[in-house]
Amino acid sequence: MRVDLIGGEDILAKVEALAEQQQDAQQARNDATEALRLAKRTDINDAAEALRAGAEAPEPKPQATKSLEDAERHLAIVTQALIAERKAWIADLKARDADIRMKLAEAEDATNEALRTLIAEAEGVLDERADIRAHVEWLDDTSRNISKRRVGPDPLASLRAAISAEPGGLSGYMIEKREHEARVHAWNELAKRAAATVPADQRLPVLDGSSDSGVTVPQIDAAIEREIERMIEAGEEVPVPVTKKWMQRLGTGKHKWAHIPVEKTTMPPDTESAEARRGDLVKALA
């Protein structure tokens, strides 16, 4: 029992001491019971042998019986004292109930705070591991943004859920950070699927000022457009883009695909071609 949490050290010490004495008294009673059983068997055997020999049967020895009576009496005394001490302990706990509960609440808050600190430290380590793994995947296709999203079961899920209802849970920054990582991961998965449809010998990079990296691969861009159009036709949700170029291409509605508008240029009238001169002649004759 944690006396540092519930107090009442003196009464609890008496209860524990009497509980140990009761266990010893029970063992002594059991030993005395076994000794009396053996004594009775021995007495009967001795009486039977005396009868066979025609001698007078020996008197039974009362020592074992008295030892059992003493053991049972001692056990009853210790048990009654233990019961009385436990009642006194329970009464003391009831008298201090409010103080004990407050102390336990403070102790629980302290442990929750310690757990939050450990979770924050573990988050940092898990983020470092995710960063390392992300760079390994990025080497397969350096045209994509590096996604640091952790995939698979969350090793901290149950621990985080156990204290999520407490003050100081997951911070808004961490929630926003995870949401951004999820968007990067989803967009990279889309780009990865699209790029897989383009043969390696057709991936010809060109300079592109609107791209975050300064270059782009038109064939992959076209494949991404086709994949987005396929998802829209299939009723799938298109991921939110995370790169400047694709933010410009994706509409602000709920994932509505918006093609880049074509800028119209007003051309001067044609006066040089034969067709134009013929038209002027026809107009003059009319």
Side-chain angles (χ1 to χ4, degrees):
M1 189 66 69
R2 293 280 302 277
V3 293
D4 61 313
L5 295 176
I6 62 172
E9 294 87 347
D10 52 344
I11 301 179
L12 183 58
K14 291 180 182 178
V15 170
E16 292 178 345
L18 287 173
E20 291 180 1
Q21 292 183 41
Q22 185 191 42
Q23 292 177 358
D24 294 340
Q26 287 176 339
Q27 185 60 45
R29 193 269 309 274
N30 294 341
D31 293 343
T33 301
E34 181 64 17
L36 178 60
R37 187 180 64 82
L38 293 176
K40 287 181 177 180
R41 179 182 297 178
T42 301
D43 178 64
I44 291 173
N45 290 339
D46 292 346
E49 290 299 325
L51 182 61
R52 291 177 61 199
E56 185 178 356
E59 292 291 332
K61 299 177 181 180
Q63 183 178 359
T65 301
K66 187 177 185 308
S67 297
L68 178 58
E69 291 176 352
D70 292 343
E72 288 180 340
R73 179 176 180 274
H74 180 63
L75 176 59
I77 292 172
V78 175
T79 300
Q80 184 171 335
L82 177 58
I83 292 173
E85 202 64 39
R86 279 179 173 166
K87 287 182 179 179
W89 184 44
I90 293 174
D92 176 68
L93 291 177
K94 288 183 178 180
R96 297 184 298 105
D97 184 82
D99 292 338
I100 293 174
R101 291 182 185 278
M102 182 178 295
K103 190 173 184 178
L104 291 174
E106 292 174 353
E108 185 176 6
D109 289 343
T111 57
N112 283 340
E113 188 60 34
L115 287 173
R116 292 187 193 100
T117 301
L118 292 176
I119 288 175
E121 294 177 358
E123 287 281 3
V125 177
L126 290 172
D127 284 345
E128 177 68 15
R129 185 179 67 173
D131 194 7
I132 295 171
R133 292 179 175 178
H135 279 77
V136 173
E137 295 181 359
W138 176 77
L139 288 174
D140 296 334
D141 185 359
T142 56
S143 66
R144 297 182 292 117
N145 278 21
I146 296 178
S147 173
K148 302 178 184 179
R149 185 191 184 198
R150 298 199 300 267
V151 296
D154 184 357
L156 301 174
S158 58
L159 181 58
R160 191 182 294 107
I163 61 173
S164 61
E166 300 295 331
L170 201 60
S171 66
Y173 167 76
M174 288 301 299
I175 294 175
E176 183 179 352
K177 180 174 182 291
R178 289 182 183 174
E179 290 176 350
H180 174 72
E181 291 172 352
R183 289 194 297 270
V184 172
H185 177 76
W187 181 259
N188 282 349
E189 287 299 308
L190 183 153
K192 186 176 181 180
R193 290 195 308 271
T197 65
V198 180
D201 58 352
Q202 296 182 15
R203 301 182 183 184
L204 305 175
V206 296
L207 295 178
D208 183 358
S210 66
S211 175
D212 293 346
S213 61
V215 295
T216 190
V217 180
Q219 294 80 4
I220 293 180
D221 288 350
I224 292 176
E225 289 189 15
R226 290 193 299 270
E227 175 63 11
I228 291 176
E229 291 173 350
R230 181 201 65 77
M231 294 179 70
I232 294 174
E233 292 176 357
E236 301 177 13
E237 185 175 5
V238 179
V240 178
V242 293
T243 60
K244 179 176 61 177
K245 177 176 67 177
W246 290 103
M247 286 178 182
Q248 294 173 352
R249 294 194 180 191
L250 200 59
T252 56
K254 186 173 178 57
H255 305 312
K256 292 181 180 179
W257 177 244
H259 288 285
I260 298 177
V262 178
E263 184 179 354
K264 296 182 179 181
T265 303
T266 302
M267 300 297 291
D270 184 7
T271 59
E272 300 298 330
S273 67
E275 183 65 25
R277 291 196 299 272
R278 177 178 177 279
D280 292 341
L281 180 61
V282 170
K283 291 178 183 179
L285 293 175

